[in-house]
């Protein structure tokens, strides 16, 4: 779901993630411009307040999905109109819950399975990237198969390939 639109409108918005030669494209997602730190933080708080949480046996406020925030930073240099642009991704992964101990059913069970599945694909992609780094190789965007397993890994393909730096906390 797009956390920058009202929850009641979520069903009216179709977000599509596609791999293109130039990178990953997300069609239909909201974009907001912030020119100050306070404006940017306000946008993050707005989205955070729309996150869906639900109780499980393991967590009273379990996030029901991953959150991916892409921040594009632009810097202009004086009068020569040159511009530098960079993007950063901030990701809050929903936790892995054990199907047997979470004690959920119906739509919550399906959410749990989808979250676990995407975390498995993410783990696999991270392991492959780690092994490539250890062997001195870099993962280029052409190596898309590592990212096609889930929308989460596909969304993060730009941040994890080529001339990118990643940090997992």
């Amino acid at each position: 779901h797009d956390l920058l639109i009202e929850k009641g409108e979520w069903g009216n918005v179709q977000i599509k993630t596609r791999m293109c030669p130039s990178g990953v494209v997300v069609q239909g997602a909201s974009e907001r411009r912030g020119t100050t730190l306070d404006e940017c933080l306000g946008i993050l708080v707005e989205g955070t307040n729309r996150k869906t949480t639900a109780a499980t046996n393991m967590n009273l406020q379990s996030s029901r999905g991953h959150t991916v925030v892409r921040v594009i930073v632009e810097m202009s240099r004086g009068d020569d109109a040159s511009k530098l642009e960079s993007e950063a991704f901030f990701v809050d992964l929903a936790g892995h819950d054990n199907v047997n101990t979470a004690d959920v059913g119906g739509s919550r069970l399906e959410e749990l399975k989808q979250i676990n599945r995407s975390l498995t694909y993410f783990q696999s992609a991270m392991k492959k990237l780690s092994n490539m780094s250890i062997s001195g190789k870099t993962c280029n965007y052409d190596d898309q198969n590592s990212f096609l397993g889930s929308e989460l890994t596909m969304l993060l393909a730009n941040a994890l390939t080529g001339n990118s730096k990643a940090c997992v906390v």
Side-chain angles (χ1 to χ4, degrees):
H1 299 293
D2 188 330
L3 297 178
L4 295 181
I5 61 172
E6 297 292 332
K7 283 186 180 182
E9 298 295 318
W10 283 354
N12 300 331
V13 177
Q14 294 293 321
I15 298 175
K16 302 225 184 277
T17 308
R18 301 175 196 271
M19 290 284 213
C20 297
S22 61
V24 176
V25 175
V26 181
Q27 296 173 318
S30 295
E31 289 188 13
R32 296 277 185 85
R33 184 175 191 85
T35 56
T36 67
L37 178 60
D38 285 340
E39 286 176 359
C40 294
L41 290 175
I43 294 167
L44 287 174
V45 167
E46 179 185 344
T48 299
N49 289 338
R50 290 195 181 115
K51 286 177 69 169
T52 301
T53 60
T56 68
N57 276 352
M58 304 303 290
N59 186 349
L60 290 177
Q61 288 191 326
S62 180
S63 179
R64 303 319 313 147
H66 309 301
T67 304
V68 178
V69 176
R70 181 180 72 144
V71 176
I72 299 173
V73 179
E74 295 176 352
M75 184 176 80
S76 299
R77 293 189 186 188
D79 297 333
D80 67 358
S82 64
K83 183 171 78 170
L84 296 175
E85 183 177 287
S86 184
E87 66 180 0
F89 289 84
F90 299 91
V91 182
D92 179 15
L93 297 175
H96 184 281
D97 286 320
N98 186 306
V99 173
N100 298 321
T101 58
D103 193 29
V104 294
S107 63
R108 294 284 180 238
L109 178 60
E110 292 308 310
E111 286 173 348
L112 183 145
K113 288 178 181 178
Q114 182 62 34
I115 290 167
N116 289 351
R117 190 175 307 117
S118 67
L119 288 170
T120 299
Y121 281 110
F122 180 74
Q123 178 184 13
S124 175
M126 293 304 291
K127 184 175 181 178
K128 182 172 184 176
L129 289 170
S130 176
N131 289 339
M132 291 177 83
S133 176
I134 290 169
S135 66
K137 298 178 182 175
T138 58
C139 182
N140 294 316
Y141 182 76
D142 295 333
D143 190 18
Q144 296 177 2
N145 291 334
S146 299
F147 304 100
L148 294 178
S150 76
E151 248 182 296
L152 172 66
T153 53
M154 197 183 311
L155 280 169
L156 296 176
N158 288 355
L160 299 173
T161 60
N163 188 25
S164 299
K165 305 291 182 213
C167 176
V168 178
V169 181

